[in-house]
Amino acid sequence: MSAIDALTAELSRLPGIGPKTALRMVHNLLKGPRDDVHRLSRALTELAQRVRPCQQCGNFSEEPDCEICSNPRRDPSILCVVEEAFEVGAIERTGQFRGRYHVLGGHLSPLDGIGPEELNVGTLLERTSQERGEVAEVIIATNASVEGEATAVYLENVLRPRGIKVTRLARGIPVGSDLEYVDGTTIAEALAGRREM
Ligand SMILES: [Zn+2]
C-alpha cells in the first residue's frame, strides 16, 4: 500500500470522515510545509505514549489518576456519570459541579453487542461499594437518547440497592443531543434541577 493510501485509510476510520475527505486531508498535508506533517506525526506519537484512561474515573489523563480525581478539593461523595470523556469538559466549563466524574466510554446497546462488560462499569461498582462507603449520590448524565436512557435505568437498578441516591439531569437538554453541544447555562440548570430517579 502506498503511503498516501495508508494514511487515507487510517483517517477515514475517524468518525465523520469518509474516504474522500480523508484523501483531501492527505493532499493538503502534502501541499503544505513538511514541518507541519512532522509536527502532526509527533503530536500523534505523544498522544499514544502519554494519554491513558484515569484508573479511577476513566477520563483521559497523562497521570494514573486524572487532575479531578487527585484534587482533594473535589467532593468524593458525589459522582457524575457521563458517556464520553469529552463530556467532562462540557460540565466542567459550567463551573457548577464540585464532585467527581465517572466516564462509561459509551452507552448500553445490546444490538451492537455492547453490554455492561464493554463499558467502564466495573470500576463504578468498586467506587460505589458499601465497603468503601465513599459515594452518597450518583448523578447520571448519560445522553437523552434511547440508549442513554436505557443506560441510566440500568445504572439506577444496580446503584440504588447500595443505598446510593441516584439522580438524573433535569429535562431541558434536547433529546438525542450530546452534552458537548449543549450550552453551559442549560447544563448548569439541568444539574441544579436534577431529580431522583
Ligand atoms: Zn479520574
Side-chain angles (χ1 to χ4, degrees), residues 54-59 65-69 101 127:
C54 164
Q55 60 187 3
Q56 302 288 328
C57 73
N59 192 9
D65 285 355
C66 74
E67 269 179 29
I68 295 170
C69 288
Y101 294 92
R127 295 178 84 188

Side-chain angles (χ1 to χ4, degrees), residues 32-162:
R34 252 330 100 110
D35 275 358
D36 288 2
V37 184
H38 285 300
R39 254 207 324 279
L40 175 64
S41 166
R42 276 198 302 276
L44 286 171
T45 304
E46 300 244 308
L47 189 76
Q49 285 173 347
R50 286 166 39 182
V51 182
R52 295 275 179 279
C54 164
Q55 60 187 3
Q56 302 288 328
C57 73
N59 192 9
F60 291 122
S61 173
E62 297 194 10
E63 304 296 332
D65 285 355
C66 74
E67 269 179 29
I68 295 170
C69 288
S70 55
N71 181 347
R73 288 197 302 274
R74 301 295 297 237
D75 184 355
S77 74
I78 173 162
L79 293 186
C80 180
V81 177
V82 295
E83 292 186 17
E84 302 292 348
F86 54 71
E87 290 163 336
V88 169
I91 296 175
E92 281 298 283
R93 280 191 290 278
T94 69
Q96 299 296 310
F97 182 64
R98 298 306 300 158
R100 296 185 181 176
Y101 294 92
H102 195 84
V103 178
L104 292 173
H107 48 232
L108 293 178
S109 182
L111 290 178
D112 302 314
I114 299 176
E117 258 84 277
E118 279 66 45
L119 300 176
N120 190 23
V121 169
T123 42
L124 178 63
L125 297 182
E126 277 171 37
R127 295 178 84 188
T128 56
S129 71
Q130 275 160 328
E131 298 78 70
R132 213 154 132 175
E134 194 174 58
V135 176
E137 179 181 354
V138 172
I139 304 172
I140 301 183
T142 53
N143 293 327
S145 61
V146 174
E147 294 89 353
E149 290 296 342
T151 308
V153 170
Y154 167 80
L155 292 175
E156 187 211 358
N157 287 333
V158 292
L159 294 172
R160 192 181 297 286
R162 301 173 160 224

Side-chain angles (χ1 to χ4, degrees), residues 8-9 11-12 16-28:
T8 304
L11 290 173
S12 41
I17 300 189
K20 275 186 192 166
T21 307
L23 187 60
R24 204 174 313 133
M25 289 165 89
V26 172
H27 278 262
N28 272 315

